[in-house]
Amino acid sequence: VRATRRFSSTMSKAPNPHVMNTTTAGPIGLMAFGITTILLNFLNAELIETPSITLIICYGMFHGGMIQILAGMWEVYRGNIFGGNAFISYAVFYLKKKKKKPKSV
C-alpha cells in the first residue's frame, strides 16, 4: 500500500508551468513540411526550370531540414514525442534528399 501511494503521488504532479506556457511548434513544422513537399513535387514533375533547381534545393534543405529539426526539438521539449519524432524524421529526409541536375540536351 505504501509503494502504491508513493507512486500515485508522483504521477499526480502538475507539469512544469514553464514548459506548458511555451507555444507549440506544430504550425511552423507543418508549414515547412507542406511547402517543401510541394516544391519537391514540382521538381519531380519537372515544372521547375533548370536554372532555379539550385535555389529550390537550398530552400528545401534549409526550410524542410533545419526548420523541421528545430520544430522537432521544440516539440520534444514540450513533451510531444510523436510530433518531435515526425518533424525530425522528415527533416532528416529533406537534408539527405539530393536531386541531380538534368543533363542538357
Side-chain angles (χ1 to χ4, degrees):
V1 175
R2 186 174 178 197
T4 307
R5 189 177 302 153
R6 184 175 59 189
F7 179 71
S8 65
S9 68
T10 59
M11 294 299 291
S12 63
K13 288 184 179 179
N16 184 353
H18 174 69
V19 172
M20 290 294 113
N21 286 337
T22 59
T23 59
T24 181
I28 194 166
L30 290 174
M31 182 194 66
F33 172 73
I35 290 175
T36 310
T37 303
I38 289 171
L39 291 175
L40 183 64
N41 286 331
F42 285 166
L43 193 62
N44 288 337
E46 298 177 358
L47 297 175
I48 298 174
E49 297 174 1
T50 305
S52 61
I53 287 177
T54 306
L55 178 66
I56 299 300
I57 290 174
C58 292
Y59 180 81
M61 286 177 61
F62 174 74
H63 202 69
M66 298 305 296
I67 299 297
Q68 283 192 14
I69 282 181
L70 292 174
M73 291 189 321
W74 195 348
E75 287 293 318
V76 168
Y77 173 73
R78 292 193 76 239
N80 184 3
I81 302 301
F82 178 77
N85 186 24
F87 287 143
I88 290 173
S89 298
Y90 283 116
V92 170
F93 168 76
Y94 283 120
L95 285 175
K96 293 289 184 177
K97 180 74 177 165
K98 293 181 182 176
K99 178 73 176 177
K100 294 180 181 177
K101 291 184 180 181
K103 295 180 181 178
S104 300
V105 180

